[in-house]
Amino acid sequence: MTITLRLAWRNLWRHPRRTWLTAAAIAFSAMLLVFMITLQLGAYDMVLDNSLRIFTGQMQIQRAGYLDKPQMRTTIPDARRLAQELRRATGLAAVAARAQGFALAASGTRSYGVPVIGVEPEHEWRVSTLPHVIKSGRYLAAVDAREVVLGAALARNLKIRVGDELTLLGAGKDGSTAATVLPVVGLFESGNLDLDRQLVQLPLVTFQDVFSMDGDAHVIVISGDSLDDMGRALTLVGAHMPAGPNLVLLGWERLIPGLKQLIQADMVQNWFMYISLIVVVTFSILNTFLMSVLERTREFGLMLALGARPLRIGGLVLLESTLLALMGLAIGIALGFCIALYFYFTGFSFPGMKEIHAQFGLPGVITPKISLLTLTLGPAVIFAFTAAASLYPALRIRRLAPVDAMRTV
Amino acid sequence: MDQSTEHTVVCRGVSKVYRQDAVAVPALTDVALEIPKQDFVCLSGPSGSGKTTLLNLIGGLDRPTSGEISVDGRRIDLMDKGELAELRLRRIGFVFQAYNLIPVLSARENVEFVMQLQGVSAAERAARARAILKEVGLEGLEDRRPGELSGGQQQRVAVARAIVSEPSLVLADEPTANLDSKTAENLMQLLRHMNTEHSVTFVFSTHDKLVMDFSRRLITLRDGRIVDDVRRE
């Protein structure tokens, strides 16, 4: 250990109580930030994962322009074969083709305009949670079965139940009339009101038959094994894009931009709070550093007299503040990590949260996201602020003259 | 022959005026002084006579209002802050009256501190610090901090620190002011020893008659002027 480092470390312990109090302030804010950020990003992941799993998937292959103007004729030809090739080439299991249309859904007494989705039932359960949230009846049996499932809320509105028939009337890809009557085999309740009030699903081959699709579909929905796996999955799919006419790969940010904006807005709001906390802590640290420098003016004068450059003494002050900050941050990160780890295993919840989350189909608890980023992002910002705070006392030393400084009592 | 090469310190027409609000307070007036190499000079005089001011100017800790000061043949009154710091680091050792040492460093580390500033390697620093502390009679006390040493021992550490880099000049401002007479005498004997053994020029200020008796040259200041300059050998 160099003398400078020893000097800096021992200087910290001239006033142990003051050092511990300052370190505690840094540690507390670091702990709070680590916990809040792991929780915040854990909540984002939960909302995102849940949103993507319900229906959208992590990414989709579409014909260029379909996202902005979803027309029946903007299709992917031979989509089931493309999806199959993609599964084989990428090794990703969660790949499913879908066709999407719009129809008038009618029961004996009521009718509503609804989106109608043709799905591959044998693959759909991997990209969507809807097959898992069937509240009554069952999910679609086969890709060519002539049957439908629909949202429980829509069924209530249409006043139909499992076993009743649903009439669909729409326009086919070629402009012809698409009409069919299919038995309702199941009702799903996803917790997402938009889906539960509107969505009708039927097997893809049946959809293609009713809507004159000739084996076409509109999207190929793809998901990685988990949210963390999304980057790898995106790269894999990008490298094995099917050679189709004008196909594009779209990530979830393009598919549901509103969700990204929501997350960003929430993030900004939270960071405003975090920065406010950090600024308060920074002023307390600045006070400590200033006190520490002012009470050692005579000693700095001695060092200057011995030939030390102000820059070197300023460096010593910066080193002291760095050691103090690192000590506080290490304690804060360790405590924050322990708290986050505890809730990682038990799940974080507060009274009433389960009921609120249930309304949106979200899990009853939030699992903090523990990663290098979530553990170090907040502390890194605190470190930057404390470094900035210690610059002022360090720069004050530049103004010291040895003789004046040594006269200081 | 150029005098500056024969003398460690040369002052010509040196004046220093402090400003207190709008009032000019002269501290030194037209001081002329030549201190040959390896001299052992005492600056004496009553409080406020300008002893410390003259030491500060010679040491490059302060700047003269007018006049020329050379140390080892180099005009220090023309140097900038950085050059003065470098001069103090390489050519001048200091022993102050009090608060001489860095309290959180041990005796050895205090001695090593200056050598570290000079960029001396750790191994060499340690060896030289041990040797000089032994020479000033502090063997076995190297790892004690200033608070664990007596006043006399602290001053010995300061002397060791001042001399360890083998400067050409050591300036000591009332080095015995806080010491009892026996300890002061021992310290002065040490300074004389260092002066002789290390061929270093010593300039020190004092009120103390005992200390003055150790000097080879006694310069007396009064009201910022040299009023007497006696060689005592």
Side-chain angles (χ1 to χ4, degrees), chain A residues 3-4 6-7 10-11 14 298-299 302 304-305 307 309 312 403 406, chain B residues 61 82 85-86 88 94 99-100 102-104 109 112 116-117 145:
Chain A
I3 291 180
T4 309
R6 262 178 280 175
L7 188 57
R10 289 177 195 167
N11 278 332
R14 284 179 166 193
R298 184 196 286 267
E299 195 173 307
L302 171 68
L304 290 170
R309 303 288 180 105
R312 191 164 188 128
V403 172
M406 289 181 74
Chain B
L61 295 174
E86 191 65 16
R88 293 196 297 269
F94 289 94
Y99 302 105
N100 240 320
I102 300 167
V104 293
E109 289 165 340
E112 281 191 41
Q116 192 194 1
L117 295 179
R145 293 198 189 176

PDB file of all heavy atoms in Angstrom, chain A residues 3-4 6-7 10-11 14 298-299 302 304-305 307 309 312 403 406, chain B residues 61 82 85-86 88 94 99-100 102-104 109 112 116-117 145:
ATOM      1  N   ILE A   3       2.152   5.175   0.515  1.00  0.00           N
ATOM      2  CA  ILE A   3       1.949   6.090   1.641  1.00  0.00           C
ATOM      3  C   ILE A   3       0.699   6.943   1.416  1.00  0.00           C
ATOM      4  O   ILE A   3      -0.067   7.200   2.345  1.00  0.00           O
ATOM      5  CB  ILE A   3       3.194   6.986   1.816  1.00  0.00           C
ATOM      6  CG1 ILE A   3       4.356   6.127   2.311  1.00  0.00           C
ATOM      7  CG2 ILE A   3       2.924   8.118   2.807  1.00  0.00           C
ATOM      8  CD1 ILE A   3       5.641   6.881   2.519  1.00  0.00           C
ATOM      9  N   THR A   4       0.479   7.347   0.175  1.00  0.00           N
ATOM     10  CA  THR A   4      -0.691   8.181  -0.128  1.00  0.00           C
ATOM     11  C   THR A   4      -1.978   7.443   0.224  1.00  0.00           C
ATOM     12  O   THR A   4      -2.887   8.019   0.836  1.00  0.00           O
ATOM     13  CB  THR A   4      -0.695   8.565  -1.626  1.00  0.00           C
ATOM     14  OG1 THR A   4       0.581   9.105  -1.944  1.00  0.00           O
ATOM     15  CG2 THR A   4      -1.778   9.568  -1.935  1.00  0.00           C
ATOM     16  N   ARG A   6      -2.266   4.929   2.330  1.00  0.00           N
ATOM     17  CA  ARG A   6      -2.314   4.779   3.799  1.00  0.00           C
ATOM     18  C   ARG A   6      -2.778   6.078   4.446  1.00  0.00           C
ATOM     19  O   ARG A   6      -3.592   6.098   5.357  1.00  0.00           O
ATOM     20  CB  ARG A   6      -0.924   4.419   4.313  1.00  0.00           C
ATOM     21  CG  ARG A   6      -0.754   2.933   4.556  1.00  0.00           C
ATOM     22  CD  ARG A   6       0.649   2.635   5.016  1.00  0.00           C
ATOM     23  NE  ARG A   6       1.554   2.611   3.866  1.00  0.00           N
ATOM     24  CZ  ARG A   6       2.876   2.461   3.963  1.00  0.00           C
ATOM     25  NH1 ARG A   6       3.436   2.355   5.139  1.00  0.00           N
ATOM     26  NH2 ARG A   6       3.622   2.425   2.889  1.00  0.00           N
ATOM     27  N   LEU A   7      -2.227   7.165   3.913  1.00  0.00           N
ATOM     28  CA  LEU A   7      -2.557   8.489   4.448  1.00  0.00           C
ATOM     29  C   LEU A   7      -4.058   8.753   4.294  1.00  0.00           C
ATOM     30  O   LEU A   7      -4.738   9.187   5.238  1.00  0.00           O
ATOM     31  CB  LEU A   7      -1.728   9.538   3.693  1.00  0.00           C
ATOM     32  CG  LEU A   7      -1.750  10.972   4.167  1.00  0.00           C
ATOM     33  CD1 LEU A   7      -1.322  11.066   5.609  1.00  0.00           C
ATOM     34  CD2 LEU A   7      -0.803  11.818   3.302  1.00  0.00           C
ATOM     35  N   ARG A  10      -6.096   6.439   6.668  1.00  0.00           N
ATOM     36  CA  ARG A  10      -6.009   6.819   8.087  1.00  0.00           C
ATOM     37  C   ARG A  10      -6.696   8.157   8.341  1.00  0.00           C
ATOM     38  O   ARG A  10      -7.256   8.369   9.421  1.00  0.00           O
ATOM     39  CB  ARG A  10      -4.543   6.885   8.509  1.00  0.00           C
ATOM     40  CG  ARG A  10      -3.922   5.501   8.578  1.00  0.00           C
ATOM     41  CD  ARG A  10      -2.456   5.599   8.923  1.00  0.00           C
ATOM     42  NE  ARG A  10      -1.757   4.364   8.653  1.00  0.00           N
ATOM     43  CZ  ARG A  10      -0.444   4.253   8.633  1.00  0.00           C
ATOM     44  NH1 ARG A  10       0.321   5.313   8.877  1.00  0.00           N
ATOM     45  NH2 ARG A  10       0.131   3.101   8.380  1.00  0.00           N
ATOM     46  N   ASN A  11      -6.625   9.048   7.363  1.00  0.00           N
ATOM     47  CA  ASN A  11      -7.313  10.334   7.527  1.00  0.00           C
ATOM     48  C   ASN A  11      -8.812  10.133   7.739  1.00  0.00           C
ATOM     49  O   ASN A  11      -9.456  10.875   8.480  1.00  0.00           O
ATOM     50  CB  ASN A  11      -7.082  11.238   6.311  1.00  0.00           C
ATOM     51  CG  ASN A  11      -5.749  11.960   6.390  1.00  0.00           C
ATOM     52  OD1 ASN A  11      -5.237  12.218   7.480  1.00  0.00           O
ATOM     53  ND2 ASN A  11      -5.174  12.278   5.247  1.00  0.00           N
ATOM     54  N   ARG A  14      -9.672   9.556  11.421  1.00  0.00           N
ATOM     55  CA  ARG A  14      -9.386  10.570  12.438  1.00  0.00           C
ATOM     56  C   ARG A  14     -10.651  10.881  13.229  1.00  0.00           C
ATOM     57  O   ARG A  14     -10.612  11.206  14.401  1.00  0.00           O
ATOM     58  CB  ARG A  14      -8.909  11.861  11.767  1.00  0.00           C
ATOM     59  CG  ARG A  14      -7.501  11.785  11.278  1.00  0.00           C
ATOM     60  CD  ARG A  14      -7.145  13.089  10.621  1.00  0.00           C
ATOM     61  NE  ARG A  14      -5.710  13.174  10.438  1.00  0.00           N
ATOM     62  CZ  ARG A  14      -5.069  14.272  10.118  1.00  0.00           C
ATOM     63  NH1 ARG A  14      -5.731  15.398   9.945  1.00  0.00           N
ATOM     64  NH2 ARG A  14      -3.776  14.272   9.960  1.00  0.00           N
ATOM     65  N   ARG A 298      -3.799  23.544   7.994  1.00  0.00           N
ATOM     66  CA  ARG A 298      -2.405  23.688   8.444  1.00  0.00           C
ATOM     67  C   ARG A 298      -1.545  22.509   7.923  1.00  0.00           C
ATOM     68  O   ARG A 298      -0.413  22.715   7.470  1.00  0.00           O
ATOM     69  CB  ARG A 298      -2.362  23.718   9.969  1.00  0.00           C
ATOM     70  CG  ARG A 298      -0.978  23.949  10.517  1.00  0.00           C
ATOM     71  CD  ARG A 298      -0.952  23.587  11.978  1.00  0.00           C
ATOM     72  NE  ARG A 298      -1.614  24.553  12.829  1.00  0.00           N
ATOM     73  CZ  ARG A 298      -0.988  25.564  13.440  1.00  0.00           C
ATOM     74  NH1 ARG A 298       0.298  25.731  13.265  1.00  0.00           N
ATOM     75  NH2 ARG A 298      -1.647  26.390  14.206  1.00  0.00           N
ATOM     76  N   GLU A 299      -2.143  21.340   7.987  1.00  0.00           N
ATOM     77  CA  GLU A 299      -1.411  20.150   7.520  1.00  0.00           C
ATOM     78  C   GLU A 299      -1.149  20.220   6.015  1.00  0.00           C
ATOM     79  O   GLU A 299      -0.069  19.841   5.545  1.00  0.00           O
ATOM     80  CB  GLU A 299      -2.262  18.933   7.850  1.00  0.00           C
ATOM     81  CG  GLU A 299      -1.525  17.630   7.775  1.00  0.00           C
ATOM     82  CD  GLU A 299      -2.417  16.510   8.280  1.00  0.00           C
ATOM     83  OE1 GLU A 299      -2.935  16.639   9.406  1.00  0.00           O
ATOM     84  OE2 GLU A 299      -2.609  15.541   7.548  1.00  0.00           O
ATOM     85  N   LEU A 302       1.702  22.429   5.469  1.00  0.00           N
ATOM     86  CA  LEU A 302       2.972  21.723   5.715  1.00  0.00           C
ATOM     87  C   LEU A 302       3.369  20.912   4.479  1.00  0.00           C
ATOM     88  O   LEU A 302       4.515  20.953   4.026  1.00  0.00           O
ATOM     89  CB  LEU A 302       2.814  20.799   6.935  1.00  0.00           C
ATOM     90  CG  LEU A 302       3.978  19.835   7.188  1.00  0.00           C
ATOM     91  CD1 LEU A 302       5.232  20.591   7.626  1.00  0.00           C
ATOM     92  CD2 LEU A 302       3.607  18.803   8.243  1.00  0.00           C
ATOM     93  N   LEU A 304       2.451  21.384   1.406  1.00  0.00           N
ATOM     94  CA  LEU A 304       2.847  22.308   0.327  1.00  0.00           C
ATOM     95  C   LEU A 304       4.269  22.803   0.564  1.00  0.00           C
ATOM     96  O   LEU A 304       5.077  22.891  -0.359  1.00  0.00           O
ATOM     97  CB  LEU A 304       1.877  23.495   0.255  1.00  0.00           C
ATOM     98  CG  LEU A 304       0.469  23.201  -0.251  1.00  0.00           C
ATOM     99  CD1 LEU A 304      -0.440  24.413  -0.039  1.00  0.00           C
ATOM    100  CD2 LEU A 304       0.489  22.843  -1.728  1.00  0.00           C
ATOM    101  N   ALA A 305       4.573  23.126   1.828  1.00  0.00           N
ATOM    102  CA  ALA A 305       5.909  23.624   2.163  1.00  0.00           C
ATOM    103  C   ALA A 305       6.971  22.572   1.851  1.00  0.00           C
ATOM    104  O   ALA A 305       8.072  22.901   1.405  1.00  0.00           O
ATOM    105  CB  ALA A 305       5.972  24.005   3.641  1.00  0.00           C
ATOM    106  N   GLY A 307       6.938  20.606  -0.510  1.00  0.00           N
ATOM    107  CA  GLY A 307       7.112  20.460  -1.955  1.00  0.00           C
ATOM    108  C   GLY A 307       6.013  19.690  -2.645  1.00  0.00           C
ATOM    109  O   GLY A 307       6.103  19.405  -3.837  1.00  0.00           O
ATOM    110  N   ARG A 309       2.680  19.176  -4.592  1.00  0.00           N
ATOM    111  CA  ARG A 309       1.902  20.057  -5.485  1.00  0.00           C
ATOM    112  C   ARG A 309       0.437  20.058  -5.028  1.00  0.00           C
ATOM    113  O   ARG A 309      -0.057  19.022  -4.557  1.00  0.00           O
ATOM    114  CB  ARG A 309       1.962  19.550  -6.930  1.00  0.00           C
ATOM    115  CG  ARG A 309       3.362  19.416  -7.488  1.00  0.00           C
ATOM    116  CD  ARG A 309       3.970  20.768  -7.760  1.00  0.00           C
ATOM    117  NE  ARG A 309       5.303  20.654  -8.294  1.00  0.00           N
ATOM    118  CZ  ARG A 309       5.610  20.870  -9.574  1.00  0.00           C
ATOM    119  NH1 ARG A 309       4.667  21.187 -10.428  1.00  0.00           N
ATOM    120  NH2 ARG A 309       6.849  20.776  -9.974  1.00  0.00           N
ATOM    121  N   ARG A 312      -1.540  17.177  -6.128  1.00  0.00           N
ATOM    122  CA  ARG A 312      -1.312  15.922  -5.403  1.00  0.00           C
ATOM    123  C   ARG A 312      -2.154  15.884  -4.123  1.00  0.00           C
ATOM    124  O   ARG A 312      -2.732  14.853  -3.777  1.00  0.00           O
ATOM    125  CB  ARG A 312       0.161  15.796  -5.066  1.00  0.00           C
ATOM    126  CG  ARG A 312       0.494  14.426  -4.578  1.00  0.00           C
ATOM    127  CD  ARG A 312       1.976  14.172  -4.602  1.00  0.00           C
ATOM    128  NE  ARG A 312       2.208  12.783  -4.304  1.00  0.00           N
ATOM    129  CZ  ARG A 312       2.937  11.966  -5.041  1.00  0.00           C
ATOM    130  NH1 ARG A 312       3.475  12.421  -6.145  1.00  0.00           N
ATOM    131  NH2 ARG A 312       3.119  10.723  -4.686  1.00  0.00           N
ATOM    132  N   VAL A 403       2.392  29.455   3.384  1.00  0.00           N
ATOM    133  CA  VAL A 403       2.583  30.277   4.582  1.00  0.00           C
ATOM    134  C   VAL A 403       1.242  30.571   5.258  1.00  0.00           C
ATOM    135  O   VAL A 403       1.087  30.393   6.471  1.00  0.00           O
ATOM    136  CB  VAL A 403       3.302  31.592   4.215  1.00  0.00           C
ATOM    137  CG1 VAL A 403       3.329  32.530   5.415  1.00  0.00           C
ATOM    138  CG2 VAL A 403       4.715  31.293   3.767  1.00  0.00           C
ATOM    139  N   MET A 406      -0.265  27.437   6.859  1.00  0.00           N
ATOM    140  CA  MET A 406       0.396  26.976   8.090  1.00  0.00           C
ATOM    141  C   MET A 406       0.102  27.881   9.275  1.00  0.00           C
ATOM    142  O   MET A 406       0.305  27.490  10.421  1.00  0.00           O
ATOM    143  CB  MET A 406       1.909  26.869   7.864  1.00  0.00           C
ATOM    144  CG  MET A 406       2.237  25.694   6.943  1.00  0.00           C
ATOM    145  SD  MET A 406       3.973  25.499   6.666  1.00  0.00           S
ATOM    146  CE  MET A 406       4.504  24.835   8.217  1.00  0.00           C
TER     147      MET A 406
ATOM    148  N   LEU B  61       8.616  29.927   0.264  1.00  0.00           N
ATOM    149  CA  LEU B  61       7.248  29.775   0.769  1.00  0.00           C
ATOM    150  C   LEU B  61       6.456  31.057   0.557  1.00  0.00           C
ATOM    151  O   LEU B  61       5.234  31.064   0.604  1.00  0.00           O
ATOM    152  CB  LEU B  61       7.262  29.437   2.268  1.00  0.00           C
ATOM    153  CG  LEU B  61       7.875  28.093   2.652  1.00  0.00           C
ATOM    154  CD1 LEU B  61       7.962  27.954   4.164  1.00  0.00           C
ATOM    155  CD2 LEU B  61       7.057  26.949   2.074  1.00  0.00           C
ATOM    156  N   GLY B  82       4.991  26.298  -9.405  1.00  0.00           N
ATOM    157  CA  GLY B  82       5.434  24.927  -9.647  1.00  0.00           C
ATOM    158  C   GLY B  82       6.932  24.791  -9.468  1.00  0.00           C
ATOM    159  O   GLY B  82       7.415  23.816  -8.873  1.00  0.00           O
ATOM    160  N   ALA B  85       7.762  24.888  -5.816  1.00  0.00           N
ATOM    161  CA  ALA B  85       7.445  23.613  -5.155  1.00  0.00           C
ATOM    162  C   ALA B  85       8.548  22.595  -5.439  1.00  0.00           C
ATOM    163  O   ALA B  85       8.980  21.854  -4.557  1.00  0.00           O
ATOM    164  CB  ALA B  85       6.093  23.100  -5.631  1.00  0.00           C
ATOM    165  N   GLU B  86       8.993  22.564  -6.688  1.00  0.00           N
ATOM    166  CA  GLU B  86      10.049  21.634  -7.084  1.00  0.00           C
ATOM    167  C   GLU B  86      11.354  21.949  -6.336  1.00  0.00           C
ATOM    168  O   GLU B  86      12.063  21.047  -5.884  1.00  0.00           O
ATOM    169  CB  GLU B  86      10.254  21.751  -8.606  1.00  0.00           C
ATOM    170  CG  GLU B  86      11.120  20.667  -9.228  1.00  0.00           C
ATOM    171  CD  GLU B  86      10.513  19.278  -9.128  1.00  0.00           C
ATOM    172  OE1 GLU B  86       9.311  19.163  -8.866  1.00  0.00           O
ATOM    173  OE2 GLU B  86      11.286  18.305  -9.272  1.00  0.00           O
ATOM    174  N   ARG B  88      11.620  23.441  -3.386  1.00  0.00           N
ATOM    175  CA  ARG B  88      11.453  23.049  -1.982  1.00  0.00           C
ATOM    176  C   ARG B  88      11.586  21.537  -1.826  1.00  0.00           C
ATOM    177  O   ARG B  88      12.148  21.048  -0.863  1.00  0.00           O
ATOM    178  CB  ARG B  88      10.088  23.503  -1.451  1.00  0.00           C
ATOM    179  CG  ARG B  88       9.926  25.008  -1.349  1.00  0.00           C
ATOM    180  CD  ARG B  88       8.739  25.369  -0.468  1.00  0.00           C
ATOM    181  NE  ARG B  88       7.474  24.898  -0.999  1.00  0.00           N
ATOM    182  CZ  ARG B  88       6.688  25.586  -1.805  1.00  0.00           C
ATOM    183  NH1 ARG B  88       7.023  26.811  -2.180  1.00  0.00           N
ATOM    184  NH2 ARG B  88       5.548  25.085  -2.225  1.00  0.00           N
ATOM    185  N   PHE B  94      12.871  21.520   5.573  1.00  0.00           N
ATOM    186  CA  PHE B  94      12.250  22.442   6.540  1.00  0.00           C
ATOM    187  C   PHE B  94      12.071  21.763   7.896  1.00  0.00           C
ATOM    188  O   PHE B  94      11.688  20.596   7.974  1.00  0.00           O
ATOM    189  CB  PHE B  94      10.865  22.886   6.059  1.00  0.00           C
ATOM    190  CG  PHE B  94      10.903  23.826   4.888  1.00  0.00           C
ATOM    191  CD1 PHE B  94      10.798  23.345   3.594  1.00  0.00           C
ATOM    192  CD2 PHE B  94      11.039  25.196   5.074  1.00  0.00           C
ATOM    193  CE1 PHE B  94      10.833  24.207   2.506  1.00  0.00           C
ATOM    194  CE2 PHE B  94      11.068  26.057   3.993  1.00  0.00           C
ATOM    195  CZ  PHE B  94      10.971  25.564   2.700  1.00  0.00           C
ATOM    196  N   TYR B  99       3.750  21.430  14.845  1.00  0.00           N
ATOM    197  CA  TYR B  99       2.896  20.819  13.812  1.00  0.00           C
ATOM    198  C   TYR B  99       3.727  20.461  12.586  1.00  0.00           C
ATOM    199  O   TYR B  99       3.362  20.724  11.462  1.00  0.00           O
ATOM    200  CB  TYR B  99       1.743  21.752  13.435  1.00  0.00           C
ATOM    201  CG  TYR B  99       0.885  22.133  14.592  1.00  0.00           C
ATOM    202  CD1 TYR B  99       0.984  23.395  15.153  1.00  0.00           C
ATOM    203  CD2 TYR B  99       0.005  21.218  15.165  1.00  0.00           C
ATOM    204  CE1 TYR B  99       0.207  23.757  16.242  1.00  0.00           C
ATOM    205  CE2 TYR B  99      -0.774  21.572  16.258  1.00  0.00           C
ATOM    206  CZ  TYR B  99      -0.665  22.831  16.784  1.00  0.00           C
ATOM    207  OH  TYR B  99      -1.434  23.177  17.855  1.00  0.00           O
ATOM    208  N   ASN B 100       4.860  19.860  12.881  1.00  0.00           N
ATOM    209  CA  ASN B 100       5.841  19.555  11.860  1.00  0.00           C
ATOM    210  C   ASN B 100       5.525  18.309  11.073  1.00  0.00           C
ATOM    211  O   ASN B 100       5.949  18.153   9.944  1.00  0.00           O
ATOM    212  CB  ASN B 100       7.171  19.313  12.578  1.00  0.00           C
ATOM    213  CG  ASN B 100       8.212  20.267  12.121  1.00  0.00           C
ATOM    214  OD1 ASN B 100       8.286  20.554  10.945  1.00  0.00           O
ATOM    215  ND2 ASN B 100       9.002  20.759  13.044  1.00  0.00           N
ATOM    216  N   ILE B 102       2.994  14.865   9.916  1.00  0.00           N
ATOM    217  CA  ILE B 102       1.634  14.452   9.559  1.00  0.00           C
ATOM    218  C   ILE B 102       1.187  13.441  10.617  1.00  0.00           C
ATOM    219  O   ILE B 102       1.813  12.382  10.763  1.00  0.00           O
ATOM    220  CB  ILE B 102       1.605  13.843   8.152  1.00  0.00           C
ATOM    221  CG1 ILE B 102       2.094  14.896   7.143  1.00  0.00           C
ATOM    222  CG2 ILE B 102       0.217  13.345   7.794  1.00  0.00           C
ATOM    223  CD1 ILE B 102       2.415  14.371   5.778  1.00  0.00           C
ATOM    224  N   PRO B 103       0.146  13.783  11.376  1.00  0.00           N
ATOM    225  CA  PRO B 103      -0.160  13.002  12.581  1.00  0.00           C
ATOM    226  C   PRO B 103      -0.560  11.551  12.343  1.00  0.00           C
ATOM    227  O   PRO B 103      -0.381  10.719  13.226  1.00  0.00           O
ATOM    228  CB  PRO B 103      -1.312  13.784  13.235  1.00  0.00           C
ATOM    229  CG  PRO B 103      -1.825  14.695  12.194  1.00  0.00           C
ATOM    230  CD  PRO B 103      -0.739  14.937  11.219  1.00  0.00           C
ATOM    231  N   VAL B 104      -1.096  11.246  11.147  1.00  0.00           N
ATOM    232  CA  VAL B 104      -1.567   9.871  10.938  1.00  0.00           C
ATOM    233  C   VAL B 104      -0.483   8.964  10.351  1.00  0.00           C
ATOM    234  O   VAL B 104      -0.723   7.772  10.144  1.00  0.00           O
ATOM    235  CB  VAL B 104      -2.820   9.826  10.023  1.00  0.00           C
ATOM    236  CG1 VAL B 104      -4.006  10.459  10.705  1.00  0.00           C
ATOM    237  CG2 VAL B 104      -2.544  10.463   8.681  1.00  0.00           C
ATOM    238  N   GLU B 109       7.136   6.767   8.083  1.00  0.00           N
ATOM    239  CA  GLU B 109       6.317   7.205   6.943  1.00  0.00           C
ATOM    240  C   GLU B 109       6.430   8.706   6.723  1.00  0.00           C
ATOM    241  O   GLU B 109       6.413   9.180   5.583  1.00  0.00           O
ATOM    242  CB  GLU B 109       4.857   6.807   7.179  1.00  0.00           C
ATOM    243  CG  GLU B 109       4.627   5.307   7.070  1.00  0.00           C
ATOM    244  CD  GLU B 109       3.289   4.863   7.647  1.00  0.00           C
ATOM    245  OE1 GLU B 109       2.704   5.627   8.460  1.00  0.00           O
ATOM    246  OE2 GLU B 109       2.856   3.760   7.327  1.00  0.00           O
ATOM    247  N   GLU B 112       9.528   9.110   4.901  1.00  0.00           N
ATOM    248  CA  GLU B 112       9.386   8.588   3.533  1.00  0.00           C
ATOM    249  C   GLU B 112       8.522   9.482   2.643  1.00  0.00           C
ATOM    250  O   GLU B 112       8.630   9.448   1.427  1.00  0.00           O
ATOM    251  CB  GLU B 112       8.775   7.183   3.572  1.00  0.00           C
ATOM    252  CG  GLU B 112       9.754   6.091   3.935  1.00  0.00           C
ATOM    253  CD  GLU B 112       9.163   4.712   3.697  1.00  0.00           C
ATOM    254  OE1 GLU B 112       8.484   4.533   2.675  1.00  0.00           O
ATOM    255  OE2 GLU B 112       9.358   3.837   4.547  1.00  0.00           O
ATOM    256  N   GLN B 116       8.735   9.966  -1.285  1.00  0.00           N
ATOM    257  CA  GLN B 116       7.715   9.485  -2.227  1.00  0.00           C
ATOM    258  C   GLN B 116       7.345  10.588  -3.227  1.00  0.00           C
ATOM    259  O   GLN B 116       7.169  10.336  -4.408  1.00  0.00           O
ATOM    260  CB  GLN B 116       6.461   9.023  -1.480  1.00  0.00           C
ATOM    261  CG  GLN B 116       5.541   8.252  -2.413  1.00  0.00           C
ATOM    262  CD  GLN B 116       4.140   8.055  -1.873  1.00  0.00           C
ATOM    263  OE1 GLN B 116       3.805   8.507  -0.785  1.00  0.00           O
ATOM    264  NE2 GLN B 116       3.320   7.376  -2.630  1.00  0.00           N
ATOM    265  N   LEU B 117       7.257  11.823  -2.700  1.00  0.00           N
ATOM    266  CA  LEU B 117       6.974  12.952  -3.600  1.00  0.00           C
ATOM    267  C   LEU B 117       8.073  13.078  -4.657  1.00  0.00           C
ATOM    268  O   LEU B 117       7.829  13.485  -5.786  1.00  0.00           O
ATOM    269  CB  LEU B 117       6.875  14.257  -2.803  1.00  0.00           C
ATOM    270  CG  LEU B 117       5.731  14.398  -1.801  1.00  0.00           C
ATOM    271  CD1 LEU B 117       5.818  15.740  -1.086  1.00  0.00           C
ATOM    272  CD2 LEU B 117       4.381  14.261  -2.480  1.00  0.00           C
ATOM    273  N   ARG B 145       3.662   6.853  15.894  1.00  0.00           N
ATOM    274  CA  ARG B 145       3.069   8.063  15.292  1.00  0.00           C
ATOM    275  C   ARG B 145       3.478   9.274  16.125  1.00  0.00           C
ATOM    276  O   ARG B 145       3.835   9.130  17.301  1.00  0.00           O
ATOM    277  CB  ARG B 145       1.568   7.929  15.243  1.00  0.00           C
ATOM    278  CG  ARG B 145       1.155   6.827  14.271  1.00  0.00           C
ATOM    279  CD  ARG B 145      -0.278   6.958  13.866  1.00  0.00           C
ATOM    280  NE  ARG B 145      -0.695   5.796  13.109  1.00  0.00           N
ATOM    281  CZ  ARG B 145      -1.927   5.598  12.691  1.00  0.00           C
ATOM    282  NH1 ARG B 145      -2.871   6.478  12.974  1.00  0.00           N
ATOM    283  NH2 ARG B 145      -2.237   4.547  11.996  1.00  0.00           N
TER     284      ARG B 145
END
